[in-house]
Amino acid sequence: MLKFALEMLWTERKKAYGLIVSIVTTLSICLLFLHFIINPYLAKKVTYDDILDFSEPYCIMLMGLFILMVCVSLICYSCNYYMKLHAREIGMLKMAGFNQGKVVLYQLIQMIMLMIVSVIITCCLSLVTTPIFLTVVYRYCHIHQSIFYFNTRLFSMIGILVICILVVLIGMQVNYINNNSLSS
């Protein structure tokens, strides 16, 4: 199953390029906006009074969380579109006698490989985008710190985000396979 899924992914790689670009873009944006939550020079402690007053630190934290939610929904939307592009493949697998679990496993293997490639590209891209982003933000906020701020918490948060996205995608795949008949 693993070999077949990887061979089909390699054969249909042109369809996957758009999804990889979408995932890389949204993960890069998530990584940049996680600085407002994790970077000690940008993140301020939010107290209960800040929540009641709807003050600046609370608004910045809410903006970061909102952007993260939008990025996750964009990734899910892109993956849903990718699954619809492969409806013929799913139909062929069902006609070949694959049960629902094997079809989900087939798609999951492909999604995991696409996510791994996207995370690697995002991490490499962040080596360039993070200093540029921090230069602009630090200059605007009059902060005099190093622009090369790479914390392991940032990358662990991205890892947790990717795992959560994969769980949502599994649910979407099961729903897509259950709700679409073989004729469609």
Side-chain angles (χ1 to χ4, degrees):
M1 174 60 80
L2 177 67
K3 184 179 177 186
F4 177 66
L6 294 177
E7 284 177 3
M8 286 304 294
L9 182 63
W10 181 253
T11 303
E12 300 287 331
R13 66 186 176 272
K14 289 184 181 179
K15 290 181 181 177
Y17 288 154
L19 179 63
I20 289 174
V21 168
S22 173
I23 293 172
V24 166
T25 303
T26 52
L27 284 179
S28 296
I29 291 169
C30 286
L31 192 64
L32 293 177
F33 278 94
L34 277 173
H35 278 280
F36 288 114
I37 298 171
I38 294 175
N39 190 333
Y41 307 116
L42 295 176
K44 296 179 182 176
K45 299 269 186 204
V46 177
T47 63
Y48 184 70
D49 292 333
D50 292 334
I51 295 171
L52 292 177
D53 297 340
F54 210 69
S55 64
E56 182 182 359
Y58 183 64
C59 291
I60 289 173
M61 185 188 73
L62 283 180
M63 180 187 67
L65 290 175
F66 177 74
I67 290 173
L68 287 175
M69 289 188 318
V70 168
C71 289
V72 168
S73 65
L74 286 174
I75 290 173
C76 291
Y77 178 76
S78 298
C79 290
N80 189 29
Y81 178 72
Y82 180 76
M83 283 188 285
K84 288 182 181 182
L85 283 178
H86 289 276
R88 238 184 329 178
E89 236 176 271
I90 294 169
M92 296 297 276
L93 289 174
K94 284 183 177 180
M95 285 181 12
F98 284 66
N99 61 9
Q100 177 183 353
K102 287 187 178 183
V103 175
V104 169
L105 180 65
Y106 170 81
Q107 285 191 313
L108 183 64
I109 290 169
Q110 289 187 345
M111 286 296 170
I112 288 173
M113 289 306 297
L114 291 173
M115 282 293 205
I116 288 172
V117 169
S118 298
V119 167
I120 290 171
I121 293 171
T122 300
C123 290
C124 293
L125 191 63
S126 74
L127 296 174
V128 174
T129 58
T130 298
I132 293 170
F133 174 75
L134 289 178
T135 300
V136 171
V137 171
Y138 284 178
R139 188 167 293 164
Y140 179 74
C141 294
H142 305 290
I143 298 172
H144 303 291
Q145 295 294 330
S146 174
I147 59 173
F148 299 102
Y149 180 80
F150 296 101
N151 192 341
T152 55
R153 282 186 57 202
L154 284 170
F155 295 105
S156 65
M157 292 288 282
I158 287 293
I160 291 169
L161 188 65
V162 166
I163 290 170
C164 292
I165 290 169
L166 282 174
V167 168
V168 169
L169 290 178
I170 291 170
M172 287 175 55
Q173 289 171 348
V174 169
N175 186 34
Y176 183 77
I177 291 168
N178 279 341
N179 291 336
N180 291 326
S181 65
L182 188 59
S183 61
S184 65

